[in-house]
Amino acid sequence: MAVLVIADHDGSAVRDTTNKTITAALAISGDVDLLVLGKGAKGVAAAAAKISGVRKVLLADGDAVGHGLAEAVEATVLPLAGGYDAILTPANTDGKNFAPRIAAKLDTAPISDIIEVVSADTFVRPIYAGNALETVQSSDAKKVITVRPTAFAAAGEGGSASVETVAAGDAPKTAFVSEEMVKSDRPELGAAKIVVSGGRALGSAEEFHAVMDPLADKLGAAVGASRAAVDAGYAPNDYQVGQTGKVVAPQLYIAIGISGAIQHLAGMKDSKVIVAINKDADAPIFQVADYGLVADYKTAVPELMAALG
C-alpha cells in the first residue's frame, strides 16, 4: 500500500509537523509520497525531497492552493487519491479544514488526531480531552487521517526523492480575500522548545505581558496562555494552549498562575518537563507537573528572573 502526506510549510521551508507526519506514514507503509501545494514552492519541494523515507515529492503550483483554500486542496488531491491507500496531514488548522472535505468526496470516515499507528488499519487517538484513548480500526479502502505531530518523532534528513509536477486544483466558487499575519521575534508556539504560559491569576492584560514577555525573552521561549486568560482578554487567541487551542509538547513548559483545567492539560501534558508556579497547593496542574512551586508568581517570577541572570 502507498501513503500520500500533504506537506505543511510556510512558503519557504517545510515545517517540523511535516517530518513528524511522515514518521506516522512510514509506520503504515514504506511507500510514502509527499504533496507540496503552494505558489512558487519549488524550493520547498526541493527541501522536502531530502526528508528521509520520502519516495517521491509531488509539486502542485497554483494561486488557489497557494492561499490554502480547502476547495482547491480537495480538487488537487482527489485526482491523485486513486494511487494511494491512505492520505495523511498534520492535525493543524489547515489539515482540519481540508481533510474532512477530502474524506467526504472519497466517501470515507476521517480519522482525526491520531497519536499512534498500531497497524496499517488500526490507530489510537485521544478522546474526552485526552482522558481516554480510543483504538480505531478502519475497513475503508482509503483512509484520510490527521496526525497529532507532538506524538511522533520527526523524520530526519538524508533522502533523495525525485520531484514531479502535478496539476493544481482550483476553487471557482471561493475567492481569497485577505489575511492578517501575526509577526513575532519569538518562536512559533506550536514548534517552540520552551513555552511559558500564563493564566487568569495574572489579573490583567498589562500584568500578563509585564510578567510573561520578559521571562519569554530571557529563555528564548514562546508565550502561551490558558483559555481563561484568553477569554478575559489578557492574551490573543493564537496564544491559547489546550483542547480548543494549540497542542504543544516542548522540552520545557512553565505554567504561571494556571490552575490546570482538564482542557488546558490536554494541550500540554506531553511536554517533556513541566514546571508549575501557583499559590494554590491543590491546583490540578501540580498533578502533571515535574516540578511544582507553591508560591505567589509576584514573588517567584522576579526571583526566577534574577536567578537566570
Side-chain angles (χ1 to χ4, degrees), residues 22-91:
I22 288 171
T23 297
L26 289 168
I28 299 174
S29 169
D31 296 326
V32 175
D33 293 348
L34 185 63
L35 174 62
V36 174
L37 304 108
K39 181 64 176 176
K42 288 184 178 180
V44 177
K50 298 178 182 178
I51 300 175
S52 180
V54 175
R55 180 180 65 174
K56 180 171 57 178
V57 175
L58 305 177
L59 172 61
D61 195 304
D63 291 329
V65 293
H67 292 304
L69 298 180
E71 294 83 353
V73 175
E74 168 217 309
T76 304
V77 172
L78 287 182
L80 304 172
Y84 298 96
D85 301 286
I87 299 169
L88 274 63
T89 185

Short mmCIF file of all heavy atoms in Angstrom, two decimals, residues 22-91:
data_model
loop_
_atom_site.label_atom_id
_atom_site.label_comp_id
_atom_site.label_asym_id
_atom_site.label_seq_id
_atom_site.Cartn_x
_atom_site.Cartn_y
_atom_site.Cartn_z
N ILE A 22 5.31 12.37 8.43
CA ILE A 22 5.98 11.35 7.61
C ILE A 22 6.35 10.14 8.46
O ILE A 22 6.23 8.98 8.03
CB ILE A 22 7.21 11.95 6.91
CG1 ILE A 22 6.75 12.90 5.79
CG2 ILE A 22 8.11 10.85 6.33
CD1 ILE A 22 7.85 13.72 5.18
N THR A 23 6.79 10.37 9.68
CA THR A 23 7.10 9.27 10.59
C THR A 23 5.87 8.40 10.81
O THR A 23 5.94 7.17 10.80
CB THR A 23 7.61 9.80 11.94
OG1 THR A 23 8.83 10.52 11.73
CG2 THR A 23 7.87 8.67 12.93
N ALA A 24 4.71 9.03 11.01
CA ALA A 24 3.46 8.28 11.18
C ALA A 24 3.13 7.51 9.90
O ALA A 24 2.70 6.35 9.95
CB ALA A 24 2.32 9.23 11.53
N ALA A 25 3.34 8.14 8.75
CA ALA A 25 3.05 7.48 7.47
C ALA A 25 3.93 6.26 7.25
O ALA A 25 3.47 5.23 6.74
CB ALA A 25 3.22 8.48 6.33
N LEU A 26 5.19 6.37 7.64
CA LEU A 26 6.12 5.25 7.45
C LEU A 26 5.76 4.06 8.33
O LEU A 26 6.13 2.93 8.04
CB LEU A 26 7.55 5.70 7.75
CG LEU A 26 8.17 6.64 6.71
CD1 LEU A 26 9.47 7.26 7.23
CD2 LEU A 26 8.42 5.90 5.39
N ALA A 27 5.01 4.32 9.41
CA ALA A 27 4.53 3.22 10.25
C ALA A 27 3.38 2.47 9.58
O ALA A 27 3.06 1.34 9.97
CB ALA A 27 4.08 3.76 11.61
N ILE A 28 2.77 3.09 8.58
CA ILE A 28 1.69 2.45 7.82
C ILE A 28 2.25 1.71 6.62
O ILE A 28 1.87 0.59 6.31
CB ILE A 28 0.66 3.51 7.36
CG1 ILE A 28 0.03 4.21 8.57
CG2 ILE A 28 -0.42 2.89 6.48
CD1 ILE A 28 -0.87 5.37 8.20
N SER A 29 3.19 2.36 5.92
CA SER A 29 3.75 1.79 4.69
C SER A 29 5.13 2.37 4.42
O SER A 29 5.42 3.51 4.80
CB SER A 29 2.83 2.08 3.51
OG SER A 29 3.44 1.76 2.28
N GLY A 30 5.96 1.61 3.75
CA GLY A 30 7.27 2.11 3.36
C GLY A 30 7.23 2.96 2.11
O GLY A 30 8.22 3.59 1.75
N ASP A 31 6.08 2.98 1.43
CA ASP A 31 5.92 3.77 0.21
C ASP A 31 5.19 5.06 0.54
O ASP A 31 3.95 5.10 0.60
CB ASP A 31 5.14 2.98 -0.85
CG ASP A 31 5.90 1.74 -1.30
OD1 ASP A 31 7.13 1.78 -1.35
OD2 ASP A 31 5.23 0.72 -1.59
N VAL A 32 5.94 6.12 0.79
CA VAL A 32 5.37 7.40 1.21
C VAL A 32 5.74 8.48 0.21
O VAL A 32 6.93 8.72 -0.04
CB VAL A 32 5.86 7.79 2.62
CG1 VAL A 32 5.35 9.17 3.00
CG2 VAL A 32 5.41 6.76 3.65
N ASP A 33 4.73 9.13 -0.34
CA ASP A 33 4.94 10.29 -1.21
C ASP A 33 4.48 11.54 -0.49
O ASP A 33 3.60 11.49 0.38
CB ASP A 33 4.15 10.13 -2.52
CG ASP A 33 4.69 8.99 -3.39
OD1 ASP A 33 5.78 8.49 -3.09
OD2 ASP A 33 3.98 8.60 -4.34
N LEU A 34 5.07 12.67 -0.87
CA LEU A 34 4.77 13.93 -0.20
C LEU A 34 4.23 14.93 -1.22
O LEU A 34 4.84 15.16 -2.25
CB LEU A 34 6.03 14.48 0.45
CG LEU A 34 5.91 15.75 1.30
CD1 LEU A 34 5.02 15.52 2.50
CD2 LEU A 34 7.29 16.21 1.75
N LEU A 35 3.08 15.52 -0.91
CA LEU A 35 2.47 16.51 -1.79
C LEU A 35 2.72 17.90 -1.24
O LEU A 35 2.33 18.22 -0.11
CB LEU A 35 0.96 16.25 -1.90
CG LEU A 35 0.15 17.30 -2.69
CD1 LEU A 35 0.61 17.39 -4.14
CD2 LEU A 35 -1.35 16.99 -2.61
N VAL A 36 3.37 18.75 -2.04
CA VAL A 36 3.64 20.13 -1.67
C VAL A 36 2.73 21.03 -2.50
O VAL A 36 2.81 21.02 -3.74
CB VAL A 36 5.12 20.51 -1.91
CG1 VAL A 36 5.34 22.00 -1.65
CG2 VAL A 36 6.02 19.67 -1.02
N LEU A 37 1.87 21.78 -1.84
CA LEU A 37 0.97 22.70 -2.53
C LEU A 37 1.39 24.12 -2.21
O LEU A 37 1.68 24.45 -1.06
CB LEU A 37 -0.48 22.49 -2.08
CG LEU A 37 -1.05 21.08 -2.21
CD1 LEU A 37 -1.20 20.44 -0.85
CD2 LEU A 37 -2.38 21.10 -2.94
N GLY A 38 1.41 24.98 -3.23
CA GLY A 38 1.79 26.36 -2.96
C GLY A 38 2.00 27.14 -4.24
O GLY A 38 1.84 26.62 -5.35
N LYS A 39 2.33 28.39 -4.08
CA LYS A 39 2.64 29.27 -5.21
C LYS A 39 4.13 29.59 -5.15
O LYS A 39 4.62 30.15 -4.17
CB LYS A 39 1.82 30.56 -5.11
CG LYS A 39 2.06 31.53 -6.26
CD LYS A 39 1.62 30.93 -7.60
CE LYS A 39 1.76 31.95 -8.73
NZ LYS A 39 1.43 31.38 -10.05
N GLY A 40 4.86 29.18 -6.18
CA GLY A 40 6.30 29.37 -6.19
C GLY A 40 6.99 28.54 -5.12
O GLY A 40 7.88 29.03 -4.43
N ALA A 41 6.56 27.29 -4.99
CA ALA A 41 7.05 26.43 -3.90
C ALA A 41 8.10 25.43 -4.35
O ALA A 41 8.27 24.38 -3.73
CB ALA A 41 5.87 25.71 -3.26
N LYS A 42 8.82 25.72 -5.44
CA LYS A 42 9.84 24.78 -5.91
C LYS A 42 10.94 24.56 -4.86
O LYS A 42 11.45 23.45 -4.70
CB LYS A 42 10.46 25.29 -7.22
CG LYS A 42 9.53 25.19 -8.42
CD LYS A 42 10.23 25.62 -9.70
CE LYS A 42 9.31 25.48 -10.90
NZ LYS A 42 9.97 25.90 -12.17
N GLY A 43 11.30 25.62 -4.16
CA GLY A 43 12.31 25.50 -3.12
C GLY A 43 11.86 24.61 -1.98
O GLY A 43 12.64 23.83 -1.43
N VAL A 44 10.57 24.70 -1.64
CA VAL A 44 10.01 23.85 -0.59
C VAL A 44 10.06 22.39 -1.03
O VAL A 44 10.43 21.49 -0.26
CB VAL A 44 8.55 24.26 -0.27
CG1 VAL A 44 7.95 23.31 0.78
CG2 VAL A 44 8.50 25.69 0.23
N ALA A 45 9.69 22.15 -2.29
CA ALA A 45 9.70 20.78 -2.81
C ALA A 45 11.11 20.20 -2.81
O ALA A 45 11.32 19.03 -2.48
CB ALA A 45 9.11 20.75 -4.22
N ALA A 46 12.08 21.01 -3.18
CA ALA A 46 13.47 20.55 -3.20
C ALA A 46 13.95 20.18 -1.80
O ALA A 46 14.64 19.19 -1.60
CB ALA A 46 14.37 21.62 -3.80
N ALA A 47 13.55 21.00 -0.80
CA ALA A 47 13.93 20.69 0.58
C ALA A 47 13.20 19.45 1.07
O ALA A 47 13.78 18.62 1.79
CB ALA A 47 13.60 21.89 1.48
N ALA A 48 11.94 19.30 0.68
CA ALA A 48 11.14 18.15 1.11
C ALA A 48 11.71 16.85 0.55
O ALA A 48 11.59 15.79 1.18
CB ALA A 48 9.70 18.33 0.65
N ALA A 49 12.33 16.92 -0.61
CA ALA A 49 12.89 15.73 -1.24
C ALA A 49 14.04 15.14 -0.43
O ALA A 49 14.42 13.98 -0.63
CB ALA A 49 13.37 16.05 -2.65
N LYS A 50 14.60 15.92 0.48
CA LYS A 50 15.72 15.46 1.28
C LYS A 50 15.29 14.77 2.58
O LYS A 50 16.12 14.30 3.34
CB LYS A 50 16.64 16.64 1.61
CG LYS A 50 17.25 17.30 0.38
CD LYS A 50 18.10 18.50 0.76
CE LYS A 50 18.66 19.19 -0.48
NZ LYS A 50 19.45 20.40 -0.13
N ILE A 51 13.98 14.74 2.85
CA ILE A 51 13.49 14.10 4.07
C ILE A 51 13.60 12.59 3.92
O ILE A 51 13.16 12.01 2.92
CB ILE A 51 12.03 14.51 4.36
CG1 ILE A 51 11.93 16.02 4.53
CG2 ILE A 51 11.53 13.80 5.62
CD1 ILE A 51 10.51 16.53 4.71
N SER A 52 14.16 11.96 4.90
CA SER A 52 14.36 10.51 4.87
C SER A 52 13.03 9.78 4.85
O SER A 52 12.11 10.12 5.59
CB SER A 52 15.16 10.08 6.10
OG SER A 52 15.37 8.69 6.10
N GLY A 53 12.94 8.79 3.97
CA GLY A 53 11.73 7.96 3.88
C GLY A 53 10.76 8.37 2.81
O GLY A 53 9.83 7.63 2.50
N VAL A 54 10.96 9.55 2.22
CA VAL A 54 10.06 10.02 1.17
C VAL A 54 10.46 9.40 -0.17
O VAL A 54 11.61 9.51 -0.60
CB VAL A 54 10.08 11.56 1.06
CG1 VAL A 54 9.23 12.03 -0.12
CG2 VAL A 54 9.57 12.17 2.36
N ARG A 55 9.52 8.75 -0.83
CA ARG A 55 9.77 8.09 -2.10
C ARG A 55 9.76 9.08 -3.26
O ARG A 55 10.59 9.03 -4.17
CB ARG A 55 8.72 7.00 -2.34
CG ARG A 55 8.86 6.24 -3.64
CD ARG A 55 7.77 5.19 -3.78
NE ARG A 55 6.43 5.79 -3.89
CZ ARG A 55 5.32 5.09 -4.15
NH1 ARG A 55 5.39 3.78 -4.27
NH2 ARG A 55 4.15 5.70 -4.23
N LYS A 56 8.79 10.02 -3.20
CA LYS A 56 8.60 10.95 -4.32
C LYS A 56 7.91 12.20 -3.78
O LYS A 56 7.06 12.12 -2.89
CB LYS A 56 7.75 10.27 -5.39
CG LYS A 56 7.44 11.12 -6.61
CD LYS A 56 6.78 10.28 -7.70
CE LYS A 56 5.52 9.59 -7.23
NZ LYS A 56 4.87 8.81 -8.31
N VAL A 57 8.26 13.36 -4.32
CA VAL A 57 7.61 14.62 -3.97
C VAL A 57 6.78 15.08 -5.16
O VAL A 57 7.27 15.15 -6.29
CB VAL A 57 8.63 15.71 -3.59
CG1 VAL A 57 7.93 17.05 -3.35
CG2 VAL A 57 9.41 15.30 -2.34
N LEU A 58 5.52 15.39 -4.89
CA LEU A 58 4.62 15.90 -5.92
C LEU A 58 4.42 17.40 -5.66
O LEU A 58 4.04 17.79 -4.55
CB LEU A 58 3.27 15.18 -5.87
CG LEU A 58 3.33 13.65 -5.97
CD1 LEU A 58 1.93 13.06 -5.82
CD2 LEU A 58 3.96 13.21 -7.28
N LEU A 59 4.67 18.22 -6.66
CA LEU A 59 4.56 19.67 -6.51
C LEU A 59 3.36 20.17 -7.30
O LEU A 59 3.29 20.00 -8.52
CB LEU A 59 5.84 20.35 -7.00
CG LEU A 59 5.80 21.89 -7.08
CD1 LEU A 59 5.56 22.49 -5.71
CD2 LEU A 59 7.09 22.42 -7.70
N ALA A 60 2.42 20.79 -6.59
CA ALA A 60 1.25 21.41 -7.22
C ALA A 60 1.36 22.91 -7.01
O ALA A 60 1.27 23.40 -5.88
CB ALA A 60 -0.04 20.88 -6.60
N ASP A 61 1.58 23.65 -8.09
CA ASP A 61 1.83 25.08 -8.01
C ASP A 61 0.66 25.84 -8.61
O ASP A 61 0.32 25.67 -9.78
CB ASP A 61 3.12 25.43 -8.76
CG ASP A 61 3.62 26.82 -8.43
OD1 ASP A 61 2.86 27.78 -8.61
OD2 ASP A 61 4.78 26.94 -7.98
N GLY A 62 0.01 26.69 -7.79
CA GLY A 62 -1.13 27.46 -8.29
C GLY A 62 -1.56 28.50 -7.28
O GLY A 62 -1.23 28.42 -6.09
N ASP A 63 -2.31 29.51 -7.75
CA ASP A 63 -2.73 30.60 -6.87
C ASP A 63 -3.66 30.11 -5.76
O ASP A 63 -3.49 30.47 -4.60
CB ASP A 63 -3.44 31.69 -7.69
CG ASP A 63 -2.49 32.44 -8.59
OD1 ASP A 63 -1.31 32.57 -8.21
OD2 ASP A 63 -2.91 32.88 -9.67
N ALA A 64 -4.65 29.30 -6.13
CA ALA A 64 -5.65 28.87 -5.14
C ALA A 64 -5.03 28.01 -4.05
O ALA A 64 -5.29 28.20 -2.86
CB ALA A 64 -6.79 28.12 -5.83
N VAL A 65 -4.18 27.06 -4.44
CA VAL A 65 -3.54 26.22 -3.42
C VAL A 65 -2.49 27.02 -2.65
O VAL A 65 -2.16 26.69 -1.51
CB VAL A 65 -2.90 24.96 -4.04
CG1 VAL A 65 -3.96 24.03 -4.59
CG2 VAL A 65 -1.87 25.31 -5.10
N GLY A 66 -1.97 28.08 -3.28
CA GLY A 66 -1.01 28.93 -2.58
C GLY A 66 -1.63 29.63 -1.39
O GLY A 66 -0.94 29.93 -0.41
N HIS A 67 -2.92 29.88 -1.47
CA HIS A 67 -3.63 30.51 -0.35
C HIS A 67 -4.25 29.47 0.58
O HIS A 67 -4.92 29.84 1.54
CB HIS A 67 -4.72 31.44 -0.89
CG HIS A 67 -4.18 32.66 -1.59
ND1 HIS A 67 -3.31 33.54 -0.99
CD2 HIS A 67 -4.40 33.13 -2.84
CE1 HIS A 67 -3.01 34.52 -1.84
NE2 HIS A 67 -3.65 34.30 -2.97
N GLY A 68 -4.06 28.21 0.27
CA GLY A 68 -4.54 27.15 1.17
C GLY A 68 -6.04 26.96 1.17
O GLY A 68 -6.59 26.45 2.16
N LEU A 69 -6.73 27.35 0.11
CA LEU A 69 -8.18 27.19 0.07
C LEU A 69 -8.53 25.70 0.09
O LEU A 69 -8.02 24.92 -0.71
CB LEU A 69 -8.77 27.84 -1.18
CG LEU A 69 -8.56 29.37 -1.31
CD1 LEU A 69 -9.18 29.87 -2.61
CD2 LEU A 69 -9.17 30.09 -0.11
N ALA A 70 -9.42 25.32 0.99
CA ALA A 70 -9.75 23.90 1.17
C ALA A 70 -10.32 23.29 -0.10
O ALA A 70 -10.03 22.13 -0.44
CB ALA A 70 -10.75 23.74 2.32
N GLU A 71 -11.11 24.06 -0.84
CA GLU A 71 -11.70 23.54 -2.06
C GLU A 71 -10.63 23.24 -3.11
O GLU A 71 -10.73 22.27 -3.86
CB GLU A 71 -12.72 24.55 -2.62
CG GLU A 71 -13.94 24.78 -1.75
CD GLU A 71 -13.70 25.78 -0.63
OE1 GLU A 71 -12.54 26.22 -0.43
OE2 GLU A 71 -14.67 26.13 0.06
N ALA A 72 -9.60 24.09 -3.15
CA ALA A 72 -8.53 23.88 -4.11
C ALA A 72 -7.66 22.69 -3.71
O ALA A 72 -7.20 21.92 -4.57
CB ALA A 72 -7.68 25.14 -4.22
N VAL A 73 -7.41 22.53 -2.41
CA VAL A 73 -6.65 21.38 -1.94
C VAL A 73 -7.39 20.09 -2.27
O VAL A 73 -6.81 19.13 -2.77
CB VAL A 73 -6.39 21.48 -0.42
CG1 VAL A 73 -5.69 20.22 0.09
CG2 VAL A 73 -5.56 22.71 -0.10
N GLU A 74 -8.67 20.09 -2.01
CA GLU A 74 -9.51 18.91 -2.33
C GLU A 74 -9.44 18.60 -3.83
O GLU A 74 -9.26 17.44 -4.24
CB GLU A 74 -10.94 19.19 -1.91
CG GLU A 74 -11.97 18.20 -2.44
CD GLU A 74 -13.28 18.89 -2.79
OE1 GLU A 74 -13.81 19.62 -1.94
OE2 GLU A 74 -13.76 18.70 -3.92
N ALA A 75 -9.57 19.63 -4.67
CA ALA A 75 -9.55 19.42 -6.12
C ALA A 75 -8.19 18.93 -6.61
O ALA A 75 -8.10 18.26 -7.65
CB ALA A 75 -9.91 20.73 -6.84
N THR A 76 -7.13 19.22 -5.87
CA THR A 76 -5.80 18.74 -6.23
C THR A 76 -5.60 17.30 -5.80
O THR A 76 -5.02 16.48 -6.54
CB THR A 76 -4.71 19.62 -5.57
OG1 THR A 76 -4.91 20.98 -5.93
CG2 THR A 76 -3.32 19.17 -6.00
N VAL A 77 -6.08 16.96 -4.61
CA VAL A 77 -5.82 15.65 -4.03
C VAL A 77 -6.68 14.56 -4.67
O VAL A 77 -6.19 13.43 -4.90
CB VAL A 77 -6.05 15.69 -2.50
CG1 VAL A 77 -5.98 14.28 -1.90
CG2 VAL A 77 -5.03 16.60 -1.84
N LEU A 78 -7.92 14.86 -4.98
CA LEU A 78 -8.84 13.81 -5.47
C LEU A 78 -8.33 13.08 -6.71
O LEU A 78 -8.40 11.84 -6.77
CB LEU A 78 -10.23 14.40 -5.73
CG LEU A 78 -11.05 14.75 -4.49
CD1 LEU A 78 -12.41 15.29 -4.90
CD2 LEU A 78 -11.21 13.55 -3.57
N PRO A 79 -7.79 13.77 -7.73
CA PRO A 79 -7.26 13.03 -8.89
C PRO A 79 -6.07 12.14 -8.55
O PRO A 79 -5.78 11.18 -9.28
CB PRO A 79 -6.86 14.14 -9.87
CG PRO A 79 -7.63 15.34 -9.45
CD PRO A 79 -7.74 15.23 -7.97
N LEU A 80 -5.39 12.43 -7.45
CA LEU A 80 -4.22 11.65 -7.05
C LEU A 80 -4.60 10.48 -6.14
O LEU A 80 -3.83 9.53 -5.98
CB LEU A 80 -3.21 12.53 -6.29
CG LEU A 80 -2.70 13.78 -7.01
CD1 LEU A 80 -1.87 14.63 -6.05
CD2 LEU A 80 -1.87 13.40 -8.23
N ALA A 81 -5.78 10.56 -5.54
CA ALA A 81 -6.17 9.62 -4.49
C ALA A 81 -6.22 8.18 -4.96
O ALA A 81 -6.03 7.25 -4.16
CB ALA A 81 -7.52 10.03 -3.89
N GLY A 82 -6.46 7.96 -6.26
CA GLY A 82 -6.57 6.60 -6.76
C GLY A 82 -5.31 5.78 -6.57
O GLY A 82 -5.37 4.54 -6.49
N GLY A 83 -4.18 6.44 -6.45
CA GLY A 83 -2.92 5.72 -6.31
C GLY A 83 -2.48 5.51 -4.87
O GLY A 83 -1.37 5.01 -4.64
N TYR A 84 -3.37 5.85 -3.91
CA TYR A 84 -2.96 5.75 -2.51
C TYR A 84 -4.04 5.09 -1.66
O TYR A 84 -5.24 5.23 -1.93
CB TYR A 84 -2.65 7.15 -1.96
CG TYR A 84 -1.51 7.81 -2.69
CD1 TYR A 84 -1.75 8.70 -3.74
CD2 TYR A 84 -0.19 7.51 -2.37
CE1 TYR A 84 -0.71 9.28 -4.44
CE2 TYR A 84 0.86 8.09 -3.07
CZ TYR A 84 0.60 8.97 -4.09
OH TYR A 84 1.64 9.53 -4.79
N ASP A 85 -3.58 4.40 -0.63
CA ASP A 85 -4.50 3.75 0.30
C ASP A 85 -4.79 4.62 1.51
O ASP A 85 -5.78 4.41 2.21
CB ASP A 85 -3.89 2.41 0.77
CG ASP A 85 -3.63 1.48 -0.39
OD1 ASP A 85 -4.59 0.93 -0.94
OD2 ASP A 85 -2.45 1.31 -0.77
N ALA A 86 -3.92 5.59 1.78
CA ALA A 86 -4.12 6.49 2.91
C ALA A 86 -3.59 7.87 2.57
O ALA A 86 -2.60 8.00 1.84
CB ALA A 86 -3.43 5.95 4.16
N ILE A 87 -4.27 8.89 3.08
CA ILE A 87 -3.87 10.28 2.89
C ILE A 87 -3.74 10.89 4.28
O ILE A 87 -4.69 10.89 5.06
CB ILE A 87 -4.90 11.06 2.05
CG1 ILE A 87 -5.02 10.45 0.65
CG2 ILE A 87 -4.52 12.54 1.95
CD1 ILE A 87 -6.19 10.97 -0.15
N LEU A 88 -2.54 11.39 4.60
CA LEU A 88 -2.26 11.92 5.93
C LEU A 88 -1.90 13.40 5.86
O LEU A 88 -1.29 13.85 4.88
CB LEU A 88 -1.10 11.16 6.59
CG LEU A 88 -1.42 9.88 7.37
CD1 LEU A 88 -2.01 8.82 6.46
CD2 LEU A 88 -0.18 9.36 8.08
N THR A 89 -2.26 14.12 6.92
CA THR A 89 -1.88 15.52 7.03
C THR A 89 -1.77 15.86 8.51
O THR A 89 -2.41 15.22 9.35
CB THR A 89 -2.94 16.43 6.35
OG1 THR A 89 -2.48 17.79 6.38
CG2 THR A 89 -4.28 16.34 7.05
N PRO A 90 -0.93 16.82 8.88
CA PRO A 90 -0.87 17.22 10.29
C PRO A 90 -2.23 17.73 10.78
O PRO A 90 -2.99 18.35 10.02
CB PRO A 90 0.17 18.34 10.29
CG PRO A 90 0.99 18.13 9.07
CD PRO A 90 0.05 17.56 8.05
N ALA A 91 -2.52 17.50 12.05
CA ALA A 91 -3.79 17.94 12.64
C ALA A 91 -3.65 19.40 13.09
O ALA A 91 -3.81 19.73 14.27
CB ALA A 91 -4.17 17.04 13.80
#
